[in-house]
Amino acid sequence: MENYLDVNRKSWNAKVEPHLKSDFYFVDEFLKGRTSLNSIELGLLGDVKDKAILHLQCHFGQDSISLSRMGAKVTGIDLSDKAIEAGKDLAKQCTTDTEFICSDVYDLPNILDEKFDIIFTSYGTIGWLPDLEKWAGVIDHFLKPGGQFIMAEFHPVVWMFDDDFKDIEYNYFNEKPIAETYEGTYADFSAEIVEDYVMWNHSLSEVIQNLVDKNLEIEKFQEFDWSPYPCFKHIEEFEKGKWRTERFGNKIPMVYAISAQKKSS
């Protein structure tokens, strides 16, 4: 899938306008000060005041801006040029100094010359990347010695199922690219979007081992039987802000989170 970047950029560009209008992203409330960050990642991030943060795959930057509001100096990057344009506009409306760069994750070392205290990525990001060894190398490249890598991500078990959570359709392991056409979007299933995309499933061992191999020491690894987002079909809210699948309830993991520190030597 040599052209996966072009395919996925087109797909994400198409999502920006309907996402900005969706209840999922609550832009009106966000502009009035509501944070987009969840308890899972907030518990790992801690006090970020005056920290330099690189936010990988930021979409149109609500989390980036939320971190800026907490006192951090934030740089958000994303593949989608339309998302980056929207992020810059949101930051202007929110009067934050959040910086945004349009870049593929792998190409970022050729564009950005800076080191960071924290690198952050969250929810539905690494599935768009074919090579996690290269991904971990980018994290190592930009993270200061002693710096923290924080990630919250949907659990790979979730990606094994079909959209209706009835059958196991995909391999848990990174066997091959998954190239499909999708109607609508996770933020609005009825959105009039039909786009191709290319993704990869990544097992927990693939994620963790590649981080460890790139000089990162895992400090916390957590799994959760709920999602902070209603971005799947056949999902129900069992507590405010917490969703599970109707079929499996608390029997499968929905999300995992990692905190890792870059070794000094």
Side-chain angles (χ1 to χ4, degrees):
M1 301 301 301
E2 293 180 1
N3 67 332
Y4 79 93
L5 289 174
D6 295 331
V7 172
N8 289 339
R9 182 184 292 107
K10 181 175 181 291
S11 174
W12 279 101
N13 277 345
K15 292 181 175 75
V16 172
E17 185 175 351
H19 282 190
L20 286 168
K21 296 177 179 177
S22 70
D23 291 338
F24 187 97
Y25 283 101
F26 55 86
V27 170
D28 288 343
E29 292 179 55
F30 181 77
L31 291 173
K32 294 174 183 177
R34 178 178 168 183
T35 184
S36 62
L37 295 165
N38 303 294
S39 60
I40 293 172
E41 54 266 30
L42 286 170
L44 295 177
L45 284 162
D47 183 6
V48 299
K49 184 174 175 57
D50 298 324
K51 300 287 188 181
I53 299 180
L54 176 62
H55 181 192
L56 301 178
Q57 296 170 272
C58 67
H59 197 24
F60 48 73
Q62 284 181 303
D63 284 1
S64 307
I65 294 167
S66 292
L67 290 165
S68 292
R69 285 169 165 169
M70 294 169 65
K73 182 183 182 299
V74 185
T75 301
I77 74 109
D78 198 87
L79 172 71
S80 164
D81 52 294
K82 289 191 175 181
I84 290 299
E85 289 174 9
K88 290 178 178 178
D89 182 62
L90 278 178
K92 184 176 180 180
Q93 292 184 68
C94 294
T95 65
T96 66
D97 61 356
T98 318
E99 295 185 12
F100 290 101
I101 298 171
C102 185
S103 175
D104 167 39
V105 170
Y106 298 143
D107 196 41
L108 193 60
N110 299 319
I111 297 172
L112 182 63
D113 183 18
E114 191 176 343
K115 300 295 182 182
F116 295 86
D117 302 302
I118 297 171
I119 296 180
F120 174 65
T121 188
S122 65
Y123 304 105
T125 55
I126 61 171
W128 303 99
L129 305 175
D131 185 343
L132 289 197
E133 180 181 4
K134 195 172 181 180
W135 166 78
V138 171
I139 294 165
D140 177 47
H141 173 84
F142 283 108
L143 200 57
K144 295 177 182 177
Q148 296 290 126
F149 172 64
I150 306 293
M151 88 179 283
E153 180 60 278
F154 295 113
H155 203 286
V157 165
V158 171
W159 300 127
M160 296 170 65
F161 291 93
D162 61 21
D163 286 348
D164 293 321
F165 285 95
K166 290 182 178 179
D167 298 303
I168 291 179
E169 187 169 336
Y170 305 98
N171 196 329
Y172 175 83
F173 299 99
N174 186 1
E175 177 188 33
K176 60 183 179 180
I178 300 168
E180 295 182 341
T181 302
Y182 193 82
E183 297 184 13
T185 167
Y186 61 85
D188 181 0
F189 295 127
S190 65
E192 295 182 358
I193 303 173
V194 180
E195 290 291 337
D196 297 332
Y197 66 85
V198 185
M199 296 189 73
W200 291 262
N201 283 350
H202 298 293
S203 66
L204 291 178
S205 60
E206 186 183 359
V207 174
I208 292 170
Q209 192 60 54
N210 277 298
L211 291 172
V212 170
D213 288 345
K214 295 298 181 180
N215 208 32
L216 287 156
E217 186 174 39
I218 307 297
E219 295 184 318
K220 288 187 179 180
F221 172 72
Q222 302 168 325
E223 294 176 287
F224 300 86
D225 60 9
W226 54 274
S227 165
Y229 300 108
C231 53
F232 303 102
K233 295 180 180 178
H234 308 292
I235 200 165
E236 57 187 1
E237 190 176 25
F238 70 97
E239 288 182 18
K240 184 173 178 55
K242 297 181 178 182
W243 283 265
R244 291 172 177 157
T245 64
E246 295 173 355
R247 180 177 182 187
F248 295 110
N250 66 350
K251 294 179 181 177
I252 64 169
M254 298 289 291
V255 164
Y256 69 95
I258 292 173
S259 173
Q261 184 177 57
K262 182 175 178 178
K263 297 177 185 177
S264 297
S265 59

